[in-house]
């Protein structure tokens, strides 16, 4: 006989610290062995992308690209080529607000050490920020940086990509109800015991408060905020989302959440809308039928895209 108590026991959760963030997975299945295998697989998928795309791992493909791709074209894995192609697509869609070459200047910031580049260093490198410097050759699956100072970073898209990989793996194992999140990127498979999942958007100025909670099923949401990595100096907040035009933190809004079917797009679009600001950003999302946006502006007012019906 199925009692509610038994139902609860069919859920299992696991957390880990990977890709510099908190990974959380929750799966539902009657078979405890399969549940454990599924949770392990989520972490394997995350670690796999971490090894390929981390800027902190010397041997990662990303680090190798930053070392070598401005000298000569470098062949890369299918996954790297796919993420770089998606990144270009997102740069074109967002008129350059999402641009992985932000790192050409971005690598000079160290938020933990409270380090930031001076104006001269930014001026000297700002021309290296342009996604068009990245030459992707489909035939040889190789990557070339057509400017000597280009560096790339996938911090605005890799977590979303990894979450989608994990969800795909869960589906292939026969899991029909699950949550996978990596920091601000969350994707849901099915519902939670006949009810939607409830996903929170935190208050950008209070880690213990939710600004909004959103019911979701079979969907995904990513949030970008100016509170994830930052330091303050003379009353100014220096944070990790940079405007590719200026090489400096973007101060248009405090937080952006994007709801859409796949985490990889949500992840990149939340970063892009953060840079684009309220009007342009929500304007872009209103032009994309599959996506919705929730933006908190600098006066802590919430704004919603048309599909959220407010
Ligand atoms: P989080 O990493 O906190 O989940 P985001 O998804 O908003 O937040 O990603 C922020 C990360 O994206 C930064 O830490 C940096 O690695 C990268 N990034 C910053 N500015 C840009 C930009 N203009 N375009 C693409 N990526 C960016
Ligand atoms: Mg993002």
């Amino acid at each position: 006989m199925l009692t509610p108590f038994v139902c609860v026991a069919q859920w299992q959760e696991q957390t880990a610290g990977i890709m510099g963030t908190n990974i959380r997975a929750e799966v539902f299945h009657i078979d405890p062995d399969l549940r454990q295998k599924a949770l392990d697989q989520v972490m394997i998928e995350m670690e796999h992308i971490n090894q390929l795309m981390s800027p902190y791992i010397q041997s990662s493909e990303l680090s190798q690209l930053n070392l070598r791709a401005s000298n000569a074209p470098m062949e890369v894995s299918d996954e790297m080529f796919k993420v770089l192609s998606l990144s270009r697509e997102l740069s074109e869609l967002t008129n350059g607000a999402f641009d992985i070459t932000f790192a050409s200047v971005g690598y000079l910031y160290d938020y933990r050490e409270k380090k930031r580049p001076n104006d001269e260093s930014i001026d000297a490198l700002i021309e290296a920020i342009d996604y068009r410097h990245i030459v992707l050759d489909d035939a040889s699956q190789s990557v070339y940086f057509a400017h000597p100072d280009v560096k790339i970073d996938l911090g605005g898209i890799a977590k979303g990509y990894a979450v989608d990989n994990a969800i795909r793996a869960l589906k292939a194992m026969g899991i029909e109800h699950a949550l996978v999140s990596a920091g601000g990127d969350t994707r849901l498979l099915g519902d939670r015991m006949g009810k939607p999942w409830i996903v929170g958007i935190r208050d950008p100025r209070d880690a213990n408060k939710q600004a909004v909670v959103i019911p979701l099923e079979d969907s995904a949401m990513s949030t970008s905020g100016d509170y994830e990595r930052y330091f303050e100096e003379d009353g100014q907040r220096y944070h990790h989302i940079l405007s590719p035009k200026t090489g400096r933190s973007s101060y248009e809004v405090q937080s952006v959440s994007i709801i859409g079917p796949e985490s990889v797009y949500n992840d990149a679009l939340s970063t892009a809308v953060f840079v684009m600001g309220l009007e342009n950003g929500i304007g872009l999302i209103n032009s994309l039928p599959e996506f919705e946006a929730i933006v908190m502006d600098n006066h802590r007012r919430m704004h919603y895209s048309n599909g959220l019906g407010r």
Side-chain angles (χ1 to χ4, degrees):
M1 194 182 78
L2 268 183
T3 66
F5 179 75
V6 172
C7 270
V8 170
Q10 291 170 339
W11 284 95
Q12 198 169 322
E13 185 182 349
Q14 196 158 309
T15 58
I18 309 174
M19 297 193 292
T21 196
N22 298 320
I23 310 294
R24 191 160 77 88
E26 244 186 280
V27 299
F28 174 87
H29 202 277
I30 47 168
D31 176 354
D33 292 339
L34 182 68
R35 283 201 305 264
Q36 188 55 53
K37 255 193 218 150
L39 291 169
D40 291 342
Q41 193 57 38
V42 168
M43 301 310 166
I44 289 169
E45 299 287 341
M46 297 292 170
E47 190 50 44
H48 172 65
I49 293 304
N50 189 39
Q51 291 298 328
L52 276 180
M53 302 185 185
S54 169
Y56 306 109
I57 300 174
Q58 265 282 293
S59 60
S60 76
E61 225 173 8
L62 179 103
S63 296
Q64 293 302 308
L65 278 170
N66 282 336
L67 273 177
R68 293 161 44 197
S70 48
N71 300 327
M74 182 179 135
E75 243 180 77
V76 295
S77 64
D78 292 355
E79 293 192 285
M80 179 59 84
F81 201 77
K82 201 166 153 200
V83 171
L84 294 179
S85 305
L86 279 167
S87 296
R88 179 173 63 189
E89 192 188 309
L90 267 306
S91 294
E92 285 163 355
L93 181 70
T94 62
N95 205 7
F98 182 83
D99 189 332
I100 58 174
T101 67
F102 85 90
S104 308
V105 171
Y107 89 99
L108 295 172
Y109 289 83
D110 186 331
Y111 301 95
R112 252 189 230 160
E113 300 290 325
K114 305 190 176 203
K115 247 181 62 191
R116 63 186 175 92
N118 59 26
D119 293 349
E120 294 85 75
S121 319
I122 295 178
D123 290 347
L125 290 171
I126 194 80
E127 278 185 12
I129 302 184
D130 189 337
Y131 65 90
R132 296 176 199 86
H133 293 322
I134 305 174
V135 182
L136 299 177
D137 184 62
D138 293 281
S140 60
Q141 202 165 285
S142 67
V143 183
Y144 176 60
F145 297 163
H147 186 291
D149 295 327
V150 168
K151 288 200 170 31
I152 60 169
D153 180 279
L154 298 171
I157 191 166
K159 289 197 284 289
Y161 181 76
V163 167
D164 287 341
N165 278 356
I167 289 283
R168 192 177 318 114
L170 292 179
K171 274 189 192 165
M173 295 172 99
I175 302 284
E176 290 174 352
H177 303 271
L179 170 150
V180 176
S181 72
D185 302 298
T186 304
R187 184 163 166 187
L188 299 330
L189 203 52
D191 58 16
R192 201 181 190 290
M193 297 195 275
K195 288 190 193 140
W197 295 85
I198 302 295
V199 184
I201 301 174
R202 68 154 265 200
D203 183 325
R205 295 296 174 263
D206 186 346
N208 301 313
K209 257 198 216 153
Q210 311 264 38
V212 196
V213 294
I214 313 283
L216 290 175
E217 51 187 77
D218 257 325
S219 185
M221 180 166 86
S222 290
T223 299
S224 288
D226 63 7
Y227 49 82
E228 281 292 348
R229 271 189 280 155
Y230 73 95
F231 63 92
E232 277 176 325
E233 196 185 297
D234 300 330
Q236 179 79 317
R237 177 181 286 247
Y238 296 94
H239 69 83
H240 68 145
I241 302 175
L242 302 189
S243 159
K245 283 202 189 106
T246 64
R248 293 172 172 87
S249 302
S250 178
Y251 296 111
E252 296 280 334
V253 297
Q254 291 185 0
S255 158
V256 173
S257 300
I258 303 291
I259 299 167
E262 286 178 80
S263 284
V264 70
Y265 288 100
N266 295 344
D267 190 5
L269 284 171
S270 66
T271 307
V273 167
F274 192 101
V275 170
M276 294 170 86
L278 186 58
E279 273 179 37
N280 292 338
I282 290 218
L284 171 69
I285 297 303
N286 281 335
S287 75
L288 304 173
E290 284 189 314
F291 296 93
E292 300 299 339
I294 301 166
V295 178
M296 185 184 272
D297 70 18
N298 287 328
H299 308 289
R300 300 176 50 78
R301 269 194 297 266
M302 307 295 296
H303 303 263
Y304 300 85
S305 59
N306 292 340
L308 293 174
R310 303 203 182 207

